Amino acid sequence: MSLSKVPMIGVVACNQQIGLHPFNIVGEKYLLSVVNGAKGFPLVIPSLGLAVPTEELLSRLDGILFTGSPSNVEPHHFQGPASAEGTHHDPKRDATTLPLIKAAIDAGVPVFGICRGFQEMNVVYGGSLHQKLHEVGLFIEHREDKTAPVDVQYGLSHAIDIVPGGLLHQAWGSEQAEVNSVHTQGVDRLGQGLTPEAHSPDGLIEAFSVKGAKAFALGVQWHPEWKVQDNQFYSSIFDAFGNACRLHAAKRER
């Protein structure tokens, strides 16, 4: 791979304690989805909880992928009730991603949010989250079976209805698709300026875009990074993201 010919795509890391030391880690599936799906080169953005030199960072990137994570956004960021005991949080990631999302979109840098990244985008735009969808009483089961093999956990779970004419519809070309479902939280109140792009059969918002964004700005609740080359729908999303990143790269090189 010649780095002069591919977009540089930032991939946000999680801050996680492993043994005695904190680590910044990114699932390999996200890195490979940038390489194989978006046809870019991934650069890990650490979540250190420090002031990020946002303007300089964005001037060097052609896109940013906000990944999924075992952790949840701390509910004080959306005025939600305290999380249940034992809920995994990552305050250093919150401190890194929440300001970075809005800055990147405002700067015209393509942004793609997956699962936690999707939820972060909603919170950034003033939305709120159901912390336990299965306790609301309005939704189908969106959690994976943690006792099942990983291929089953990330296998196709339910259909989605795609909004005609939206960013997702333009990428896929159909109003129907099948997705996996590996999440406990979900959109409660949609953030201001976000446009629904897809819904699950129970009406839950599964994807949205940012209205008026200067470049690709999409969030999805499912995990299209999973074996992206084996799923045409997932591939179509990463193709669209990669094309937007290449367009931004061309502008940046002028």
Side-chain angles (χ1 to χ4, degrees):
M1 176 186 291
S2 171
L3 296 186
S4 64
K5 298 180 180 180
V6 298
M8 299 290 104
I9 299 176
V11 183
V12 173
C14 296
N15 194 292
Q16 183 171 324
Q17 189 82 11
I18 303 177
L20 299 176
H21 302 282
F23 284 76
N24 270 263
I25 59 174
V26 177
E28 188 176 87
K29 60 181 179 171
Y30 295 107
L31 303 177
L32 290 176
S33 70
V34 167
V35 175
N36 298 323
K39 303 299 188 292
F41 188 81
L43 299 172
V44 176
I45 301 174
S47 290
L48 298 174
L50 305 173
V52 177
T54 304
E55 185 174 346
E56 184 175 358
L57 177 63
L58 294 177
S59 72
R60 300 187 181 194
L61 294 176
D62 302 311
I64 304 180
L65 176 63
F66 291 88
T67 64
S69 171
S71 68
N72 293 327
V73 177
E74 289 193 302
H76 70 81
H77 289 295
F78 54 90
Q79 292 76 52
S83 299
E85 184 176 354
T87 300
H88 182 39
H89 292 301
D90 187 344
K92 289 185 178 179
R93 170 159 170 161
D94 291 347
T96 301
T97 57
L98 299 183
L100 185 58
I101 287 171
K102 188 67 164 54
I105 293 172
D106 287 348
V109 176
V111 163
F112 187 18
I114 294 175
C115 200
R116 191 196 210 270
F118 162 90
Q119 294 165 8
E120 289 169 341
M121 290 176 71
N122 189 50
V123 170
V124 164
Y125 282 87
S128 63
L129 302 171
H130 291 297
Q131 296 185 51
K132 293 185 178 182
L133 287 171
H134 57 282
E135 293 184 356
V136 176
L138 300 174
F139 305 107
I140 61 175
E141 180 59 80
H142 287 271
R143 296 173 296 174
E144 75 279 20
D145 179 359
K146 294 184 183 297
T147 66
V150 67
D151 280 336
V152 175
Q153 291 185 35
Y154 282 83
L156 298 179
S157 178
H158 63 75
I160 57 169
D161 296 314
I162 298 172
V163 177
L167 186 61
L168 194 59
H169 182 249
Q170 292 172 23
W172 177 228
S174 173
E175 296 176 22
Q176 295 287 325
E178 294 278 337
V179 299
N180 52 33
S181 192
V182 191
H183 62 104
T184 301
Q185 298 200 132
V187 170
D188 177 9
R189 181 182 66 253
L190 186 65
Q192 294 183 355
L194 301 181
T195 300
E197 292 274 344
H199 299 83
S200 61
D202 55 17
L204 186 69
I205 294 174
E206 289 275 346
F208 53 65
S209 57
V210 180
K211 185 176 181 180
K214 301 173 186 176
F216 185 100
L218 178 72
V220 302
Q221 182 61 84
W222 65 92
H223 285 267
E225 81 286 354
W226 181 254
K227 296 186 176 181
V228 62
Q229 291 176 293
D230 298 337
N231 186 299
Q232 291 184 340
F233 176 50
Y234 297 172
S235 293
S236 73
I237 304 170
F238 273 96
D239 281 343
F241 177 52
N243 288 338
C245 293
R246 278 181 284 279
L247 180 62
H248 186 75
K251 293 177 180 178
R252 193 165 61 85
E253 292 169 1
R254 291 176 185 171

